[in-house]
Amino acid sequence: MAEDRPTSGADVPPEREVAPAPSVHSLASELLAAADVAAPDLRGGTVLAMAEASDPVAPPRVEAAGGGCGGGRRILLDGAATTLTDGDRPTHLLVRAVGPDGSGVLVLVERGERGVEPWPRGGERTGEVVFRAVRLDADRVVTGEVRDPA
């Protein structure tokens, strides 16, 4: 049987200091910086959140959607995702998706885009979001590449 005895400070391992986990906003900012993309600058401040595949077998998908207004290239974003926020209502979602060739891409979606339902509310840390034929300018793909249909 083990004997109960008082321990001295020498017997007790020092407590490890655990660094606090970075905020979701910070992680999204780092991903944008690594892609050499500046975070959006909005009056009143930008709040970044992330959206990850709800179902790893069926992540959000991005495909080229041809020309847009003024002849610009467009993309189409479809699928369901889980949102990760710091509890604030985000102004932008950084969405992990896959392109037509199956490679990973990151897409920046701004609050108010048509086809994004529901947008994360303030106070939520996680939630579900669906992208239904969300049309965006091709420059919203911040990493990876989505080619026009041949």
Side-chain angles (χ1 to χ4, degrees):
M1 271 203 220
E3 201 176 293
D4 287 337
R5 61 184 167 96
T7 58
S8 69
D11 295 325
V12 177
E15 285 191 37
R16 287 189 195 177
E17 288 192 29
V18 177
S23 70
V24 175
H25 177 87
S26 295
L27 289 172
S29 294
E30 288 175 20
L31 287 169
L32 288 174
D36 202 25
V37 173
D41 185 22
L42 297 177
R43 196 170 103 203
T46 302
V47 178
L48 299 172
M50 298 195 59
E52 307 274 347
S54 298
D55 179 356
V57 176
R61 299 199 61 84
V62 177
E63 60 186 55
C69 295
R73 289 183 44 232
R74 306 280 285 171
I75 61 163
L76 196 63
L77 174 65
D78 274 302
T82 299
T83 57
L84 308 168
T85 75
D86 292 320
D88 298 321
R89 186 172 182 218
T91 59
H92 292 79
L93 291 175
L94 190 57
V95 181
R96 288 188 194 266
V98 295
D101 64 356
S103 63
V105 296
L106 287 176
V107 179
L108 192 61
V109 177
E110 189 171 349
R111 182 174 57 214
E113 298 288 356
R114 187 174 293 155
V116 181
E117 300 169 359
W119 192 263
R121 295 182 305 231
E124 285 184 348
R125 293 208 174 266
T126 63
E128 297 297 315
V129 65
V130 176
F131 304 102
R132 289 188 176 93
V134 180
R135 287 186 162 286
L136 302 166
D137 289 333
D139 65 356
R140 295 291 193 86
V141 175
V142 297
T143 65
E145 193 172 332
V146 179
R147 298 187 190 279
D148 286 331

